[in-house]
mmCIF file with all atom_site columns, all heavy atoms in Angstrom:
data_model
loop_
_atom_site.group_PDB
_atom_site.id
_atom_site.type_symbol
_atom_site.label_atom_id
_atom_site.label_alt_id
_atom_site.label_comp_id
_atom_site.label_asym_id
_atom_site.label_entity_id
_atom_site.label_seq_id
_atom_site.pdbx_PDB_ins_code
_atom_site.Cartn_x
_atom_site.Cartn_y
_atom_site.Cartn_z
_atom_site.occupancy
_atom_site.B_iso_or_equiv
_atom_site.pdbx_formal_charge
_atom_site.auth_seq_id
_atom_site.auth_comp_id
_atom_site.auth_asym_id
_atom_site.auth_atom_id
_atom_site.pdbx_PDB_model_num
ATOM 1  N N   . ARG B 1 233 ? 36.142 77.131 -15.285 1.00 86.00 ? 367 ARG B N   1
ATOM 2  C CA  . ARG B 1 233 ? 36.293 77.344 -13.860 1.00 86.00 ? 367 ARG B CA  1
ATOM 3  C C   . ARG B 1 233 ? 35.910 78.761 -13.466 1.00 86.00 ? 367 ARG B C   1
ATOM 4  O O   . ARG B 1 233 ? 35.268 78.994 -12.451 1.00 86.00 ? 367 ARG B O   1
ATOM 5  C CB  . ARG B 1 233 ? 37.750 77.076 -13.473 1.00 86.00 ? 367 ARG B CB  1
ATOM 6  C CG  . ARG B 1 233 ? 37.884 76.951 -11.995 1.00 86.00 ? 367 ARG B CG  1
ATOM 7  C CD  . ARG B 1 233 ? 39.060 76.128 -11.635 1.00 86.00 ? 367 ARG B CD  1
ATOM 8  N NE  . ARG B 1 233 ? 39.170 76.145 -10.190 1.00 86.00 ? 367 ARG B NE  1
ATOM 9  C CZ  . ARG B 1 233 ? 40.001 75.388 -9.526  1.00 86.00 ? 367 ARG B CZ  1
ATOM 10 N NH1 . ARG B 1 233 ? 40.799 74.578 -10.171 1.00 86.00 ? 367 ARG B NH1 1
ATOM 11 N NH2 . ARG B 1 233 ? 40.039 75.451 -8.226  1.00 86.00 ? 367 ARG B NH2 1
ATOM 12 N N   . ASN B 1 234 ? 36.265 79.698 -14.302 1.00 86.00 ? 368 ASN B N   1
ATOM 13 C CA  . ASN B 1 234 ? 35.924 81.091 -14.012 1.00 86.00 ? 368 ASN B CA  1
ATOM 14 C C   . ASN B 1 234 ? 34.453 81.396 -14.280 1.00 86.00 ? 368 ASN B C   1
ATOM 15 O O   . ASN B 1 234 ? 33.899 82.336 -13.720 1.00 86.00 ? 368 ASN B O   1
ATOM 16 C CB  . ASN B 1 234 ? 36.805 82.030 -14.825 1.00 86.00 ? 368 ASN B CB  1
ATOM 17 C CG  . ASN B 1 234 ? 38.145 82.211 -14.152 1.00 86.00 ? 368 ASN B CG  1
ATOM 18 O OD1 . ASN B 1 234 ? 38.219 82.764 -13.066 1.00 86.00 ? 368 ASN B OD1 1
ATOM 19 N ND2 . ASN B 1 234 ? 39.201 81.692 -14.789 1.00 86.00 ? 368 ASN B ND2 1
ATOM 20 N N   . ALA B 1 235 ? 33.862 80.604 -15.148 1.00 89.00 ? 369 ALA B N   1
ATOM 21 C CA  . ALA B 1 235 ? 32.456 80.864 -15.498 1.00 89.00 ? 369 ALA B CA  1
ATOM 22 C C   . ALA B 1 235 ? 31.500 80.154 -14.546 1.00 89.00 ? 369 ALA B C   1
ATOM 23 O O   . ALA B 1 235 ? 30.287 80.295 -14.639 1.00 89.00 ? 369 ALA B O   1
ATOM 24 C CB  . ALA B 1 235 ? 32.190 80.413 -16.933 1.00 89.00 ? 369 ALA B CB  1
ATOM 25 N N   . LEU B 1 236 ? 32.052 79.365 -13.611 1.00 89.00 ? 370 LEU B N   1
ATOM 26 C CA  . LEU B 1 236 ? 31.195 78.497 -12.808 1.00 89.00 ? 370 LEU B CA  1
ATOM 27 C C   . LEU B 1 236 ? 30.306 79.228 -11.797 1.00 89.00 ? 370 LEU B C   1
ATOM 28 O O   . LEU B 1 236 ? 29.279 78.718 -11.401 1.00 89.00 ? 370 LEU B O   1
ATOM 29 C CB  . LEU B 1 236 ? 32.049 77.464 -12.065 1.00 89.00 ? 370 LEU B CB  1
ATOM 30 C CG  . LEU B 1 236 ? 32.220 76.133 -12.801 1.00 89.00 ? 370 LEU B CG  1
ATOM 31 C CD1 . LEU B 1 236 ? 32.984 75.157 -11.927 1.00 89.00 ? 370 LEU B CD1 1
ATOM 32 C CD2 . LEU B 1 236 ? 30.884 75.533 -13.202 1.00 89.00 ? 370 LEU B CD2 1
ATOM 33 N N   . ILE B 1 237 ? 30.723 80.444 -11.385 1.00 88.00 ? 371 ILE B N   1
ATOM 34 C CA  . ILE B 1 237 ? 29.974 81.091 -10.301 1.00 88.00 ? 371 ILE B CA  1
ATOM 35 C C   . ILE B 1 237 ? 28.494 81.330 -10.647 1.00 88.00 ? 371 ILE B C   1
ATOM 36 O O   . ILE B 1 237 ? 27.618 80.895 -9.901  1.00 88.00 ? 371 ILE B O   1
ATOM 37 C CB  . ILE B 1 237 ? 30.711 82.350 -9.806  1.00 88.00 ? 371 ILE B CB  1
ATOM 38 C CG1 . ILE B 1 237 ? 31.920 81.829 -9.012  1.00 88.00 ? 371 ILE B CG1 1
ATOM 39 C CG2 . ILE B 1 237 ? 29.807 83.246 -8.966  1.00 88.00 ? 371 ILE B CG2 1
ATOM 40 C CD1 . ILE B 1 237 ? 32.636 82.833 -8.192  1.00 88.00 ? 371 ILE B CD1 1
ATOM 41 N N   . PRO B 1 238 ? 28.194 81.973 -11.774 1.00 89.00 ? 372 PRO B N   1
ATOM 42 C CA  . PRO B 1 238 ? 26.756 82.110 -12.097 1.00 89.00 ? 372 PRO B CA  1
ATOM 43 C C   . PRO B 1 238 ? 26.082 80.760 -12.295 1.00 89.00 ? 372 PRO B C   1
ATOM 44 O O   . PRO B 1 238 ? 24.909 80.591 -11.933 1.00 89.00 ? 372 PRO B O   1
ATOM 45 C CB  . PRO B 1 238 ? 26.750 82.917 -13.392 1.00 89.00 ? 372 PRO B CB  1
ATOM 46 C CG  . PRO B 1 238 ? 28.138 82.906 -13.904 1.00 89.00 ? 372 PRO B CG  1
ATOM 47 C CD  . PRO B 1 238 ? 29.040 82.690 -12.733 1.00 89.00 ? 372 PRO B CD  1
ATOM 48 N N   . VAL B 1 239 ? 26.831 79.782 -12.826 1.00 91.00 ? 373 VAL B N   1
ATOM 49 C CA  . VAL B 1 239 ? 26.254 78.455 -13.039 1.00 91.00 ? 373 VAL B CA  1
ATOM 50 C C   . VAL B 1 239 ? 25.871 77.827 -11.700 1.00 91.00 ? 373 VAL B C   1
ATOM 51 O O   . VAL B 1 239 ? 24.769 77.278 -11.538 1.00 91.00 ? 373 VAL B O   1
ATOM 52 C CB  . VAL B 1 239 ? 27.246 77.556 -13.812 1.00 91.00 ? 373 VAL B CB  1
ATOM 53 C CG1 . VAL B 1 239 ? 26.714 76.134 -13.909 1.00 91.00 ? 373 VAL B CG1 1
ATOM 54 C CG2 . VAL B 1 239 ? 27.503 78.126 -15.189 1.00 91.00 ? 373 VAL B CG2 1
ATOM 55 N N   . LEU B 1 240 ? 26.755 77.946 -10.717 1.00 91.00 ? 374 LEU B N   1
ATOM 56 C CA  . LEU B 1 240 ? 26.468 77.383 -9.390  1.00 91.00 ? 374 LEU B CA  1
ATOM 57 C C   . LEU B 1 240 ? 25.280 78.078 -8.741  1.00 91.00 ? 374 LEU B C   1
ATOM 58 O O   . LEU B 1 240 ? 24.454 77.453 -8.068  1.00 91.00 ? 374 LEU B O   1
ATOM 59 C CB  . LEU B 1 240 ? 27.700 77.503 -8.487  1.00 91.00 ? 374 LEU B CB  1
ATOM 60 C CG  . LEU B 1 240 ? 28.788 76.479 -8.767  1.00 91.00 ? 374 LEU B CG  1
ATOM 61 C CD1 . LEU B 1 240 ? 30.048 76.815 -7.980  1.00 91.00 ? 374 LEU B CD1 1
ATOM 62 C CD2 . LEU B 1 240 ? 28.313 75.083 -8.393  1.00 91.00 ? 374 LEU B CD2 1
ATOM 63 N N   . THR B 1 241 ? 25.183 79.402 -8.950  1.00 90.00 ? 375 THR B N   1
ATOM 64 C CA  . THR B 1 241 ? 24.053 80.136 -8.379  1.00 90.00 ? 375 THR B CA  1
ATOM 65 C C   . THR B 1 241 ? 22.741 79.576 -8.909  1.00 90.00 ? 375 THR B C   1
ATOM 66 O O   . THR B 1 241 ? 21.807 79.302 -8.152  1.00 90.00 ? 375 THR B O   1
ATOM 67 C CB  . THR B 1 241 ? 24.148 81.625 -8.760  1.00 90.00 ? 375 THR B CB  1
ATOM 68 O OG1 . THR B 1 241 ? 25.482 82.052 -8.497  1.00 90.00 ? 375 THR B OG1 1
ATOM 69 C CG2 . THR B 1 241 ? 23.158 82.455 -7.986  1.00 90.00 ? 375 THR B CG2 1
ATOM 70 N N   . ILE B 1 242 ? 22.673 79.408 -10.224 1.00 91.00 ? 376 ILE B N   1
ATOM 71 C CA  . ILE B 1 242 ? 21.448 78.873 -10.832 1.00 91.00 ? 376 ILE B CA  1
ATOM 72 C C   . ILE B 1 242 ? 21.173 77.459 -10.326 1.00 91.00 ? 376 ILE B C   1
ATOM 73 O O   . ILE B 1 242 ? 20.046 77.106 -10.008 1.00 91.00 ? 376 ILE B O   1
ATOM 74 C CB  . ILE B 1 242 ? 21.573 78.870 -12.376 1.00 91.00 ? 376 ILE B CB  1
ATOM 75 C CG1 . ILE B 1 242 ? 21.740 80.296 -12.903 1.00 91.00 ? 376 ILE B CG1 1
ATOM 76 C CG2 . ILE B 1 242 ? 20.376 78.196 -13.018 1.00 91.00 ? 376 ILE B CG2 1
ATOM 77 C CD1 . ILE B 1 242 ? 20.494 81.138 -12.781 1.00 91.00 ? 376 ILE B CD1 1
ATOM 78 N N   . MET B 1 243 ? 22.239 76.667 -10.221 1.00 91.00 ? 377 MET B N   1
ATOM 79 C CA  . MET B 1 243 ? 22.045 75.294 -9.744  1.00 91.00 ? 377 MET B CA  1
ATOM 80 C C   . MET B 1 243 ? 21.483 75.272 -8.331  1.00 91.00 ? 377 MET B C   1
ATOM 81 O O   . MET B 1 243 ? 20.619 74.447 -8.001  1.00 91.00 ? 377 MET B O   1
ATOM 82 C CB  . MET B 1 243 ? 23.359 74.513 -9.792  1.00 91.00 ? 377 MET B CB  1
ATOM 83 C CG  . MET B 1 243 ? 23.680 73.985 -11.184 1.00 91.00 ? 377 MET B CG  1
ATOM 84 S SD  . MET B 1 243 ? 25.333 73.283 -11.299 1.00 91.00 ? 377 MET B SD  1
ATOM 85 C CE  . MET B 1 243 ? 25.180 71.862 -10.256 1.00 91.00 ? 377 MET B CE  1
ATOM 86 N N   . GLY B 1 244 ? 21.933 76.177 -7.501  1.00 90.00 ? 378 GLY B N   1
ATOM 87 C CA  . GLY B 1 244 ? 21.412 76.266 -6.127  1.00 90.00 ? 378 GLY B CA  1
ATOM 88 C C   . GLY B 1 244 ? 19.929 76.574 -6.132  1.00 90.00 ? 378 GLY B C   1
ATOM 89 O O   . GLY B 1 244 ? 19.135 75.935 -5.430  1.00 90.00 ? 378 GLY B O   1
#
Side-chain angles (χ1 to χ4, degrees):
Chain B
R367 194 155 176 171
N368 278 295
L370 267 185
I371 287 192
V373 174
L374 283 171
T375 312
I376 298 290
M377 279 171 67

